[in-house]
Amino acid sequence: MTRALLLIDIQNGFCPGGNLPVADGDAVVAIANRVIEKGGYDLVVASQDWHPANHGSFASQHPGKKPFDMGVLSGQPQVMWPDHCIQGTPDAEFHPDLDTARIDHVQRKGENPAVDSYSAFRDNDKAALTGLSGYLKSKGVTELDLMGLATDYCVRFSALDAVDMLPGAKIRLIADGCRGIDPKGVEEALAAMAHAGVEIIDSSRIGI
């Protein structure tokens, strides 16, 4: 039995002061560090949004569009985001207080400018895999805990894909280790994850 922790996009860009800040996003850092220390995980993995400067999900790439407008990318509805987590910039770096020394593997995502990648496992069109599922399977992962940013986007998509792509594995969401963008979206995301079989837990249960 191999237990793994997946930290989702705990980057400067999604924390206060970043280009796409999630309210209170930096509050998950201390929880992540505590969970890493106390959880007894065999493996700690972190996903990292890693966009080229011309990424098609950026409003700046679509004349007349403003951040958070709806648009189309590769034929699919797409939220137009502010430029964020551009490769090699401070915005894309992990939060400086995150215990990155304990991270065994970093999975970058969102590198294809033609499609967005909320999930740590695959692009939104579900055509291209990031390689994370293969990595976790190669390590024999049977239990996966997830937490990070943002609940209603990258956390939700990653958790649902974990259920789909790691059949038989126990998937748990550390709910207090997440923060979301839209309260209604967070509520819907938690319901969707629970419906798919993700166990919703609190970090106080980790390491007991």
Side-chain angles (χ1 to χ4, degrees), residues 31-87:
I31 297 171
N33 289 341
R34 189 171 73 246
V35 166
I36 291 170
E37 181 183 358
K38 303 288 188 186
Y41 293 101
D42 303 298
L43 198 63
V44 178
V45 179
S47 68
Q48 184 179 28
D49 241 16
W50 195 249
H51 294 307
N54 66 338
H55 198 273
S57 70
F58 295 165
S60 62
Q61 301 301 306
H62 302 267
K65 290 292 186 183
K66 303 185 300 295
F68 306 106
D69 284 351
M70 286 302 298
V72 175
L73 182 62
S74 295
Q76 299 295 320
Q78 173 70 45
V79 178
M80 297 284 115
W81 300 112
D83 291 18
H84 66 279
C85 296
I86 292 173
Q87 297 171 4

XYZ file of all heavy atoms in Angstrom, residues 31-87:
442
model
N -1.261 24.577 6.213
C -1.945 23.284 6.280
C -1.168 22.251 5.471
O -0.950 21.118 5.913
C -3.399 23.412 5.783
C -4.178 24.354 6.703
C -4.076 22.045 5.716
C -5.552 24.727 6.190
N -0.718 22.644 4.283
C 0.069 21.729 3.448
C 1.338 21.288 4.179
O 1.674 20.094 4.204
C 0.431 22.400 2.130
N 2.039 22.230 4.781
C 3.275 21.884 5.483
C 3.014 20.938 6.650
O 3.788 20.003 6.892
C 3.968 23.158 5.975
C 4.568 23.969 4.834
O 4.780 23.456 3.738
N 4.820 25.238 5.093
N 1.917 21.180 7.367
C 1.580 20.309 8.498
C 1.217 18.907 8.027
O 1.641 17.904 8.618
C 0.426 20.922 9.292
C 0.132 20.209 10.604
C -0.858 20.974 11.461
N -2.214 20.914 10.937
C -2.881 21.971 10.466
N -2.326 23.167 10.444
N -4.120 21.834 10.027
N 0.459 18.838 6.932
C 0.043 17.550 6.381
C 1.263 16.772 5.857
O 1.373 15.566 6.056
C -1.014 17.770 5.276
C -1.219 16.515 4.444
C -2.340 18.207 5.892
N 2.182 17.490 5.196
C 3.411 16.839 4.716
C 4.176 16.239 5.887
O 4.661 15.100 5.828
C 4.302 17.851 3.966
C 3.664 18.265 2.632
C 5.683 17.265 3.718
C 4.367 19.440 1.959
N 4.268 16.998 6.972
C 5.064 16.568 8.114
C 4.412 15.428 8.885
O 5.069 14.466 9.287
C 5.292 17.748 9.058
C 6.145 17.400 10.267
C 6.300 18.548 11.239
O 5.780 19.652 10.970
O 6.936 18.333 12.289
N 3.090 15.515 9.061
C 2.395 14.583 9.952
C 1.766 13.393 9.227
O 1.382 12.411 9.857
C 1.272 15.312 10.705
C 1.729 16.527 11.518
C 2.495 16.129 12.744
C 2.755 17.353 13.634
N 3.619 17.037 14.786
N 1.645 13.497 7.885
C 0.825 12.535 7.167
C 1.430 11.173 6.942
O 0.712 10.227 6.596
N 2.740 11.056 7.081
C 3.374 9.765 6.865
C 3.257 9.266 5.434
O 3.177 8.051 5.187
N 3.271 10.195 4.476
C 3.100 9.804 3.072
C 4.365 9.159 2.511
O 5.479 9.545 2.876
C 2.722 11.025 2.230
C 1.362 11.585 2.561
C 1.226 12.703 3.366
C 0.209 10.958 2.097
C -0.018 13.209 3.688
C -1.044 11.455 2.416
C -1.153 12.573 3.206
O -2.388 13.064 3.545
N 4.159 8.213 1.634
C 5.284 7.607 0.930
C 5.784 8.496 -0.194
O 6.930 8.372 -0.643
C 4.854 6.253 0.338
C 4.330 5.308 1.401
O 5.097 4.960 2.312
O 3.132 4.937 1.333
N 4.908 9.397 -0.648
C 5.183 10.191 -1.839
C 4.442 11.516 -1.725
O 3.268 11.534 -1.360
C 4.672 9.413 -3.062
C 5.154 9.756 -4.454
C 6.658 9.524 -4.572
C 4.403 8.904 -5.471
N 5.122 12.613 -2.021
C 4.484 13.928 -2.076
C 4.702 14.491 -3.479
O 5.836 14.593 -3.950
C 5.055 14.899 -1.019
C 4.395 16.277 -1.153
C 4.858 14.345 0.393
N 3.592 14.827 -4.138
C 3.620 15.322 -5.508
C 2.965 16.709 -5.532
O 2.019 16.959 -4.781
C 2.852 14.363 -6.451
C 2.834 14.869 -7.875
C 3.470 12.967 -6.395
N 3.475 17.589 -6.359
C 2.876 18.914 -6.503
C 2.654 19.217 -7.978
O 3.539 18.984 -8.805
C 3.782 19.976 -5.895
N 1.469 19.728 -8.302
C 1.233 20.194 -9.671
C 1.572 21.680 -9.748
O 1.510 22.408 -8.753
C -0.206 19.947 -10.105
O -1.115 20.757 -9.381
N 1.952 22.107 -10.947
C 2.387 23.494 -11.159
C 1.858 23.993 -12.505
O 2.241 23.481 -13.558
C 3.921 23.562 -11.128
C 4.494 24.962 -11.244
C 6.018 24.965 -11.193
O 6.663 23.982 -11.580
N 6.601 26.048 -10.724
N 0.974 24.989 -12.447
C 0.539 25.654 -13.669
C 1.772 26.273 -14.323
O 2.534 26.992 -13.651
C -0.477 26.754 -13.317
C -1.834 26.531 -13.944
O -2.109 25.405 -14.399
O -2.643 27.476 -13.975
N 1.966 26.035 -15.631
C 3.217 26.432 -16.282
C 2.895 26.870 -17.717
O 3.138 26.182 -18.688
C 4.183 25.247 -16.255
C 5.614 25.547 -16.548
C 6.318 25.164 -17.654
C 6.558 26.269 -15.720
N 7.624 25.593 -17.566
C 7.797 26.273 -16.387
C 6.455 26.912 -14.488
C 8.931 26.888 -15.862
C 7.587 27.522 -13.960
C 8.795 27.504 -14.648
N 2.307 28.073 -17.810
C 1.764 28.527 -19.088
C 2.786 29.282 -19.930
O 3.557 30.092 -19.393
C 0.579 29.473 -18.850
C -0.613 28.840 -18.215
N -1.202 27.701 -18.708
C -1.343 29.209 -17.130
C -2.244 27.389 -17.954
N -2.343 28.281 -16.983
N 2.771 29.062 -21.249
C 3.506 29.967 -22.133
C 2.829 31.336 -22.129
O 1.638 31.450 -21.810
C 3.392 29.295 -23.510
C 2.141 28.471 -23.430
C 2.031 28.026 -21.993
N 3.566 32.383 -22.492
C 3.035 33.753 -22.420
C 1.861 33.979 -23.376
O 1.051 34.891 -23.156
C 4.152 34.753 -22.714
N 1.765 33.138 -24.408
C 0.675 33.303 -25.382
C -0.451 32.303 -25.167
O -1.168 31.938 -26.109
C 1.226 33.151 -26.807
C 1.721 31.736 -27.101
O 2.045 30.982 -26.175
N 1.780 31.366 -28.371
N -0.644 31.855 -23.928
C -1.651 30.805 -23.700
C -3.046 31.282 -24.090
O -3.454 32.408 -23.774
C -1.650 30.343 -22.243
C -2.317 29.022 -22.071
N -3.672 28.886 -21.875
C -1.824 27.751 -22.133
C -3.974 27.596 -21.803
N -2.875 26.889 -21.957
N -3.776 30.412 -24.770
C -5.087 30.771 -25.311
C -6.172 31.015 -24.280
O -7.239 31.531 -24.616
N -5.919 30.647 -23.022
C -6.912 30.919 -21.979
C -6.796 32.336 -21.425
O -7.617 32.757 -20.614
C -6.757 29.923 -20.824
O -5.555 30.179 -20.100
N -5.771 33.079 -21.861
C -5.561 34.438 -21.363
C -6.431 35.423 -22.138
O -6.430 35.428 -23.372
C -4.097 34.862 -21.514
C -3.118 34.069 -20.676
C -1.758 34.140 -20.946
C -3.536 33.276 -19.622
C -0.834 33.443 -20.186
C -2.618 32.555 -18.848
C -1.267 32.638 -19.138
N -7.136 36.287 -21.419
C -7.959 37.311 -22.076
C -7.110 38.187 -22.999
O -7.587 38.657 -24.045
C -8.650 38.174 -21.019
N -5.851 38.372 -22.634
C -4.959 39.229 -23.425
C -4.740 38.712 -24.845
O -4.314 39.471 -25.722
C -3.609 39.368 -22.720
O -2.961 38.098 -22.602
N -5.011 37.436 -25.065
C -4.824 36.825 -26.387
C -6.067 36.941 -27.265
O -6.070 36.456 -28.403
C -4.435 35.353 -26.229
C -3.156 35.135 -25.440
C -1.954 35.816 -26.075
O -1.653 35.599 -27.246
N -1.286 36.669 -25.299
N -7.117 37.567 -26.729
C -8.395 37.654 -27.455
C -8.855 39.109 -27.479
O -9.401 39.597 -26.473
C -9.448 36.770 -26.782
C -9.050 35.327 -26.693
N -9.389 34.393 -27.652
C -8.309 34.661 -25.763
C -8.880 33.216 -27.314
N -8.218 33.354 -26.171
N -8.638 39.803 -28.587
C -9.019 41.222 -28.663
C -10.473 41.443 -28.256
O -11.371 40.722 -28.691
C -8.802 41.549 -30.148
C -7.742 40.599 -30.597
C -8.007 39.332 -29.826
N -10.682 42.421 -27.378
C -12.033 42.751 -26.930
C -12.483 41.985 -25.705
O -13.529 42.298 -25.126
N -11.713 40.975 -25.303
C -12.091 40.185 -24.126
C -11.412 40.732 -22.870
O -10.270 41.183 -22.916
C -11.695 38.710 -24.302
C -12.519 37.960 -25.335
C -13.958 37.785 -24.883
C -14.738 36.910 -25.854
N -16.167 36.808 -25.453
N -12.134 40.676 -21.766
C -11.595 41.069 -20.472
C -11.474 39.829 -19.587
O -12.183 38.827 -19.808
C -12.517 42.082 -19.784
C -12.794 43.349 -20.580
C -13.608 44.344 -19.784
C -14.966 43.809 -19.346
N -15.861 43.533 -20.482
N -10.584 39.858 -18.604
C -10.498 38.727 -17.677
C -11.859 38.377 -17.086
O -12.632 39.259 -16.720
C -9.531 39.226 -16.602
C -8.629 40.168 -17.335
C -9.532 40.869 -18.317
N -12.142 37.095 -17.048
C -13.358 36.476 -16.513
C -14.544 36.527 -17.478
O -15.612 36.025 -17.156
C -13.727 37.049 -15.130
C -12.604 36.957 -14.142
C -11.884 38.081 -13.771
C -12.215 35.727 -13.624
C -10.817 37.987 -12.888
C -11.151 35.618 -12.738
C -10.451 36.759 -12.374
N -14.354 37.129 -18.679
C -15.350 36.961 -19.732
C -15.358 35.502 -20.164
O -14.379 34.784 -19.973
C -15.008 37.814 -20.968
C -15.317 39.288 -20.793
O -15.959 39.643 -19.789
O -14.910 40.078 -21.674
N -16.455 35.076 -20.755
C -16.489 33.763 -21.386
C -16.075 33.901 -22.844
O -16.411 34.873 -23.516
C -17.879 33.135 -21.300
C -18.246 32.615 -19.931
S -17.094 31.371 -19.274
C -17.272 30.051 -20.487
N -15.332 32.925 -23.313
C -14.917 32.887 -24.702
C -14.876 31.455 -25.189
O -15.512 30.566 -24.605
N -14.123 31.220 -26.242
C -13.990 29.882 -26.822
C -12.514 29.595 -27.039
O -11.753 30.454 -27.486
C -14.762 29.782 -28.157
C -14.523 28.433 -28.820
C -16.249 30.012 -27.941
N -12.104 28.385 -26.698
C -10.735 27.927 -26.950
C -10.810 26.527 -27.519
O -11.379 25.632 -26.898
C -9.910 27.948 -25.653
C -8.436 27.538 -25.784
C -7.692 28.493 -26.713
C -7.763 27.508 -24.412
N -10.271 26.370 -28.701
C -10.309 25.072 -29.403
C -11.731 24.502 -29.456
O -11.945 23.309 -29.241
C -9.352 24.080 -28.744
O -8.021 24.519 -28.883
N -12.689 25.387 -29.712
C -14.067 24.953 -29.911
C -14.856 24.712 -28.644
O -16.028 24.334 -28.713
N -14.225 24.931 -27.490
C -14.902 24.692 -26.213
C -15.079 25.995 -25.444
O -14.235 26.889 -25.524
C -14.082 23.715 -25.358
C -13.895 22.346 -25.979
C -15.205 21.587 -26.130
O -16.058 21.627 -25.253
N -15.370 20.914 -27.266
N -16.180 26.130 -24.665
C -16.339 27.326 -23.822
C -15.148 27.469 -22.882
O -14.637 26.477 -22.358
C -17.626 27.043 -23.042
C -18.361 26.025 -23.851
C -17.318 25.192 -24.517
N -14.693 28.685 -22.677
C -13.476 28.922 -21.905
C -13.588 30.225 -21.124
O -13.906 31.267 -21.696
C -12.270 28.999 -22.850
C -10.965 29.416 -22.197
C -10.395 28.357 -21.270
O -10.355 27.176 -21.623
N -9.954 28.761 -20.092
N -13.336 30.158 -19.823
C -13.178 31.382 -19.047
C -11.888 32.057 -19.508
O -10.852 31.413 -19.639
C -13.100 31.090 -17.533
C -12.877 32.390 -16.750
C -14.355 30.387 -17.049
N -11.973 33.353 -19.757
C -10.785 34.118 -20.143
C -10.097 34.626 -18.869
O -10.631 35.464 -18.149
C -11.199 35.308 -21.026
C -11.844 34.911 -22.342
S -10.632 34.322 -23.556
C -11.126 32.615 -23.760
N -8.926 34.094 -18.587
C -8.240 34.410 -17.341
C -7.251 35.568 -17.517
O -6.773 35.808 -18.632
C -7.460 33.188 -16.855
C -8.281 31.973 -16.587
C -8.264 30.798 -17.289
C -9.247 31.786 -15.542
N -9.147 29.904 -16.743
C -9.763 30.487 -15.668
C -9.715 32.609 -14.507
C -10.726 29.975 -14.809
C -10.686 32.111 -13.648
C -11.174 30.802 -13.797
N -6.914 36.244 -16.433
C -5.764 37.153 -16.500
C -4.500 36.341 -16.807
O -4.444 35.154 -16.489
C -5.683 37.741 -15.081
C -6.948 37.368 -14.383
C -7.490 36.151 -15.076
N -3.521 36.976 -17.410
C -2.235 36.290 -17.602
C -1.733 35.827 -16.236
O -1.665 36.627 -15.293
C -1.205 37.252 -18.201
C -1.516 37.645 -19.635
O -2.674 37.472 -20.067
O -0.603 38.145 -20.308
N -1.390 34.547 -16.114
C -0.956 34.037 -14.814
C -0.029 32.837 -14.986
O -0.086 32.130 -15.984
C -2.156 33.648 -13.937
C -2.935 32.481 -14.469
N -3.876 32.621 -15.477
C -2.905 31.158 -14.157
C -4.393 31.430 -15.748
N -3.812 30.523 -14.966
N 0.818 32.624 -13.989
C 1.711 31.461 -13.925
C 2.455 31.244 -15.241
O 2.542 30.123 -15.753
C 0.934 30.213 -13.514
S 0.240 30.322 -11.844
N 2.999 32.340 -15.772
C 3.773 32.247 -17.010
C 5.144 31.630 -16.698
O 5.791 31.985 -15.716
C 3.917 33.628 -17.669
C 2.533 34.085 -18.186
C 4.917 33.588 -18.814
C 2.509 35.497 -18.714
N 5.529 30.707 -17.541
C 6.755 29.929 -17.335
C 7.941 30.827 -16.986
O 8.202 31.827 -17.658
C 7.081 29.146 -18.603
C 6.024 28.131 -18.977
C 6.247 27.504 -20.340
O 7.239 27.774 -20.994
N 5.317 26.655 -20.768
